[in-house]
Each structure stands twice: as C-alpha cells, then as structure tokens.
Amino acid sequence: MRIKYTMPIVFFVALVVIEKENKIISRVSDKITSKHTPQDPPQPDVFSHLLLKRNASFPLLGKDFVLMKRRLENYSEVMKRGRQHVLLLATTRTGSSFVGEFFNQQGDNMFYLFEPLWHVEKMLTLETGGTNATASAKAYRDVLQQLFLCDFSLLESFIDPLPVNHITTALFRRESSISLCEESICSPFVKGVFERYHCKTRRCGPLNLTMASKSCLNKKHKVIKSVRVRQLENLRPLAEDPRLDVRFIQLVRDPRAVLASRMVAFAAKYKNWKEWAMGGNVSLDFAEVMKLKGNCDNIRLSAEVGLRQPPWLRGRYMLVRYEDIARFPMRKATEMYRFSGIPFTPQVKSWILKNTQASRETSGVYSTQKNSSEQVEKWRFSLPFKIAQVVQRVCGPTLKLFGYKFISSEKMLTDKSISLIEDKGFTF
Ligand SMILES: *[C@@H]1O[C@H](CO)[C@@H](O)[C@H](O)[C@H]1NC(C)=O
Ligand SMILES: *[C@@H]1O[C@H](CO)[C@@H](O)[C@H](O)[C@H]1NC(C)=O
Ligand SMILES: *[C@@H]1O[C@H](CO)[C@@H](O)[C@H](O)[C@H]1NC(C)=O
Ligand SMILES: *[C@@H]1O[C@H](CO)[C@@H](O)[C@H](O)[C@H]1NC(C)=O
Ligand SMILES: *[C@@H]1O[C@H](CO)[C@@H](O)[C@H](O)[C@H]1NC(C)=O
C-alpha cells in the first residue's frame, strides 16, 4: 500500500530536481533570452497512470541521474554548433513514412526517429481503447523535448517491456531509422534473442539506448516523425525552448483520400461504411463520423495556428500537402530542406529519384516505394461517391483551407481530367 503512494512522489521529486538542474544550466548558457518561459516539469498525473499500468522501476534515478546531468551540461555546447531540429507532424495515411524518408536518407549527420510516440500512446491507452487527450498531449510534448536533446530516459519508461540497463529489444520500428542501425550503435548480435524490430541492413543485437543517445549527441540534425500529436498549440513549449530551435513541418492530405486509404488498410473496420455506400440496409456509425470530423478539425486548427504565424511560431512552421510532394517530389523536398536549414545531400536526391519512379512490384500497403504521382489520384476510383460526400460534409472547412476541390457528382469524382487540387501556395 505504502509503496504505491511513495513511488509517484519519489518520481515526481526526481523530475523536479532534474528540472532545477536544467534551469541552472539554461541560465548559464548565453543564448537564453528573457522571453524564454521555463517548462513545467512533466505532470505527475501522466505518470500515475503509467504506474498503475506497470509495476515500474524508475530509469531516471541513481546512475542515470548522473548521466542525465552530464547531458544537460552539454546543452550549451550543443547549441553552438548550429544544429537543426525538425518535427514532421502528420496523421495516419498521409504519406508521412514516405516523406520521413526524405530526412532519414540525409546522411551521416542525421539522427532520425520514426514514431517514437507509438510507445507513449500504447502505454497511455485506457481500458476504453481511447486516450485522455490532455494527459497524452503532455506526455508527447515531454518525450519529444527529451528526444530532441538525445535523452531517451522518459521514452524508456514507456517502452514495454521496460528496458533493462537501457537495453531494449522492443523499440517500435527500429529498422525504419537508419541512425538506429548504424555501425556505431550496432551491438554484437546475440543468438537466440528475439528482436521484433531488428535491423535489416546489418545484424545487430538488442538496442543499447545509451549508445543511441551518444550517437544522437554527435549528430548535427535531428528529425522526428509523428502522427500522434493532435494540436500544434500543445507544442508551444518546444518552440519556445531555445536549446531546440525546432521547426515544424505539417504534412496534410485530402481527407477523402485518407479515408479511402484507411478503407483499404483496415477493410474490416469499414465494412459497415462500404455496405452503407452500396445502398445496404445499415446506417453509418455516428461515433465514427464524429471521429472523422474530430480528426479533420484537429488538423485544420493546427494549420490555422501555423499559418497565422503567432510570434512563438514565426519562421518555424511549414505546411506541405502530400499531393504536391507526390507530384513534385524534388521541388518540395528542396523547399522542405531549405526551410529546415539542413543540407540537401546527393543521397536524398538519389533516393527520391529512385523511389518516385520505382516499379510497382514492391508497393505493399505500408510501402514507401511507389509511383507517387499515380498514387495521388488512385483513391478516386476506390472511394464511393456517397462516402466522399460524407467527408465533404464533415470536413468542409478543412478541404477549403488546404485547397481541395469539392466533388459534386459521381462523374466528377472519376473524371481524371478534372484536378481536385487547387494550386495553392502557403506563404510563410
Ligand atoms: C511489484 O513490485 C513489488 C516490489 O518490487 C513486488 O513485491 C511485487 O511482486 C511486484 N508485483 C508484480 C505484479 O510484479
Ligand atoms: C559532451 O558531448 C560530447 C560529444 O558530443 C562528449 O564527448 C562529452 O564527453 C560530453 N561531455 C559530458 C560532460 O558528458
Ligand atoms: C484527463 O487528464 C487530466 C489531467 O491530465 C485530468 O484532469 C482529467 O480528469 C482526465 N480526464 C479523464 C476523463 O480522465
Ligand atoms: C551500452 O553502451 C554503453 C555506452 O557505450 C556501455 O557503457 C554499456 O556497457 C552498454 N551496455 C551493455 C549492456 O552492453
Ligand atoms: C507513374 O504514373 C503516372 C500516372 O499513371 C505515369 O504517367 C508515369 O509514367 C508513371 N511513372 C513511372 C516511372 O512508372
């Protein structure tokens, strides 16, 4: 009984102590400006849920604390090197894996992480199947902030099973991050140890997160891709953290195409929708329609904040439509690189050339290798008109903001000579 109550307190105290340390170091550093508002430490409510779910030990205590302190001491040094931090924000089925590759492929100076928040979402998923948006938003923000500083300790506490001595076999899609499978953090292969997300380019043992952190500190550029952040506004503390100098790229896609893609990827889940569209004797699940509306609204609200350019976001936000990337991959990649301040390397160029003109053989549902300009229109032949109308009804303002034309008839939907994408530049 007592343990249950003391543990969250100990944890909280540890975080407060670390935060204090963090502030002292920040004060020393020369780049701190008076407009910087110090962060709140992660809220205990996020962790109490985590604690209830897992009989956890705390990776932040003891030896790790010393390690973390050292890393904090390195922050001011990190800042002087002109490093770039980019958060690629998207939602599912918007081509974010594909666009993430533009950065993953950059080269030796890139530290790229693919969906690290997957672990956080999984751990914070309630018995009801949903998450508490307020609690998740805080956890996402805090984990992202640490990761940009090459600190994996908070993320570790969300990985299941809990890493032992910072070694894990379970980091989600490790192999999707070139930097996590590099020679320097490839520990010797251990026979008989199963690693679900193992490296494909070389045989490595379980991931040593201390090594990953060291490697990260040595890289100039850090890019994290996530489909889990719902509101850009929630990330304001990241934008205001002068240690990070972070830039946000929001990737959006026509919600009708997103739904069409989901209906293919999660066919069972959308059986009802299909039946309804075919004129079957079923009604649409109201909750599902509201969820669609909620997603559209979140994306639009984030973009509205970004495009409004409040002082905290000035020069830090870029909106990109997937359709433009698919049609003009090289041009859009160049723009994204220019915005982020990261050098556009020949490796990226050749990856784009290879993968936007690739043969169709390897294009599975989750594949990034596809003829992208062909992909961009495909949904028009799989999405029933009735469902397109539902999307237009609940996502109207979102379509309008991003310049996606409304479809008024079944004929228009499948008439490829009519483009549904307005030429729209988003100025910053
Ligand atoms: C939780 O941790 C306590 C103290 O370490 C231990 O006695 C107990 O058996 C653990 N419970 C579970 C379910 O692992
Ligand atoms: C700071 O980081 C560098 C690598 O970027 C490392 O060599 C050095 O040991 C670190 N210093 C401390 C005090 O951890
Ligand atoms: C969600 O979390 C917040 C704090 O993080 C808490 O105040 C609120 O009661 C929670 N809501 C629900 C429905 O559990
Ligand atoms: C993980 O890497 C660190 C840093 O290279 C090293 O000190 C530590 O021994 C490694 N852990 C294991 C279990 O190999
Ligand atoms: C990709 O698809 C478009 C549209 O169908 C087609 O015009 C183009 O030739 C294709 N490119 C390649 C390299 O297959």
Side-chain angles (χ1 to χ4, degrees):
M1 232 9 217
R2 266 184 57 205
I3 273 195
K4 198 169 154 193
Y5 290 106
T6 43
M7 279 171 124
I9 293 167
V10 168
F11 192 30
F12 183 53
V13 168
L15 288 166
V16 170
V17 170
I18 290 162
E19 191 58 30
K20 278 238 172 78
E21 198 76 35
N22 171 346
K23 272 181 212 155
I24 291 164
I25 292 152
S26 298
R27 226 173 286 142
V28 173
S29 88
D30 46 9
K31 252 208 170 160
I32 303 295
T33 58
S34 54
K35 71 173 195 277
H36 170 55
T37 38
Q39 257 86 97
D40 298 330
Q43 299 298 302
D45 46 19
V46 171
F47 301 104
S48 53
H49 183 77
L50 181 62
L51 287 169
L52 288 174
K53 256 195 124 140
R54 161 192 281 156
N55 202 4
S57 59
F58 298 105
L60 284 180
L61 300 181
K63 209 173 71 206
D64 308 310
F65 177 68
V66 177
L67 188 77
M68 188 159 173
K69 193 173 147 222
R70 279 213 207 102
R71 285 180 197 153
L72 287 163
E73 279 159 6
N74 251 344
Y75 290 160
S76 54
E77 192 198 331
V78 165
M79 288 184 342
K80 290 192 195 102
R81 291 191 208 156
R83 301 186 170 211
Q84 276 78 31
H85 299 83
V86 174
L87 187 60
L88 179 59
L89 294 169
T91 50
T92 51
R93 321 302 306 172
T94 55
S96 65
S97 302
F98 176 73
V99 178
E101 283 303 303
F102 287 15
F103 292 102
N104 192 27
Q105 301 287 334
Q106 199 262 354
D108 295 340
N109 253 325
M110 172 60 66
F111 195 83
Y112 173 78
L113 290 175
F114 177 96
E115 296 298 335
L117 300 181
W118 183 86
H119 293 284
V120 183
E121 181 183 53
K122 190 145 184 272
M123 191 58 73
L124 294 181
T125 297
L126 308 164
E127 275 67 37
T128 56
T131 53
N132 177 333
T134 319
S136 302
K138 278 185 194 139
Y140 291 159
R141 181 195 70 195
D142 293 338
V143 170
L144 285 172
Q145 185 170 31
Q146 279 204 349
L147 288 176
F148 275 128
L149 296 166
C150 300
D151 187 335
F152 287 83
S153 37
L154 193 51
L155 179 65
E156 270 191 43
S157 63
F158 288 98
I159 298 174
D160 193 24
L162 194 67
V164 178
N165 292 326
H166 314 292
I167 308 285
T168 180
T169 55
L171 189 83
F172 179 64
R173 298 276 300 264
R174 171 188 182 180
E175 74 280 8
S176 296
S177 163
I178 290 176
S179 29
L180 291 181
C181 287
E182 254 172 19
E183 188 81 56
S184 69
I185 52 174
C186 180
S187 44
F189 182 70
V190 193
K191 230 179 154 184
V193 174
F194 175 70
E195 217 193 335
R196 177 152 184 220
Y197 305 106
H198 59 272
C199 291
K200 301 264 158 60
T201 44
R202 50 171 62 89
R203 268 187 133 190
C204 298
L207 179 63
N208 180 336
L209 289 164
T210 310
M211 283 185 186
S213 168
K214 276 187 173 166
S215 165
C216 171
L217 283 168
N218 283 322
K219 308 271 181 171
K220 259 189 137 156
H221 318 297
K222 278 136 221 173
V223 176
I224 300 176
K225 160 185 122 65
S226 180
V227 295
R228 294 180 161 77
V229 175
R230 291 187 210 166
Q231 290 284 335
L232 180 60
E233 187 98 50
N234 293 334
L235 300 179
R236 178 168 176 174
L238 258 69
E240 290 178 334
D241 186 336
R243 297 169 302 181
L244 303 186
D245 193 19
V246 71
R247 285 173 176 73
F248 305 96
I249 297 180
Q250 187 183 3
L251 176 67
V252 299
R253 186 180 182 187
D254 189 328
R256 295 165 299 195
V258 171
L259 184 60
S261 173
R262 290 183 61 84
M263 288 175 73
V264 172
F266 314 108
K269 226 184 132 193
Y270 287 95
K271 234 181 101 214
N272 202 40
W273 288 62
K274 270 189 203 135
E275 245 178 271
W276 175 80
M278 306 290 246
N281 194 18
V282 292
S283 52
L284 270 188
D285 185 353
F286 182 69
E288 278 295 318
V289 177
M290 288 322 280
K291 214 163 108 190
L292 175 68
K293 177 171 161 41
N295 288 341
C296 279
D297 287 347
N298 276 332
I299 296 164
R300 178 175 50 82
L301 288 171
S302 288
E304 280 171 356
V305 169
L307 296 171
R308 209 186 304 133
Q309 296 277 308
W312 62 272
L313 207 49
R314 197 148 293 154
R316 301 194 179 282
Y317 175 84
M318 180 182 191
L319 180 73
V320 189
R321 295 187 301 191
Y322 173 68
E323 292 79 5
D324 293 328
I325 294 176
R327 294 180 303 163
F328 319 108
M330 202 61 82
R331 189 198 307 169
K332 296 313 279 188
T334 310
E335 282 174 23
M336 283 188 279
Y337 266 95
R338 194 181 307 131
F339 165 76
S340 61
I342 301 172
F344 188 51
T345 57
Q347 290 103 297
V348 182
K349 208 175 221 172
S350 67
W351 188 91
I352 292 173
L353 283 175
K354 193 165 149 232
N355 289 279
T356 50
Q357 301 169 359
S359 66
R360 236 108 309 109
E361 282 130 46
T362 49
S363 75
V365 210
Y366 286 101
S367 171
T368 51
Q369 242 190 29
K370 49 189 66 155
N371 179 337
S372 47
S373 53
E374 184 180 308
Q375 282 300 119
V376 88
E377 300 272 20
K378 231 174 98 187
W379 67 272
R380 296 175 66 172
F381 300 92
S382 73
L383 191 74
F385 177 58
K386 267 177 87 177
I387 293 186
Q389 282 180 304
V390 172
V391 181
Q392 292 180 169
R393 213 164 303 138
V394 300
C395 298
T398 309
L399 289 166
K400 216 164 152 193
L401 178 66
F402 298 140
Y404 299 126
K405 269 182 230 154
F406 284 64
I407 300 160
S408 52
S409 68
E410 187 136 21
K411 193 163 158 289
M412 184 181 174
L413 174 62
T414 51
D415 183 351
K416 262 183 138 176
S417 69
I418 303 172
S419 168
L420 299 181
I421 307 154
E422 282 168 25
D423 279 332
K424 191 157 179 167
F426 300 96
T427 47
F428 307 101

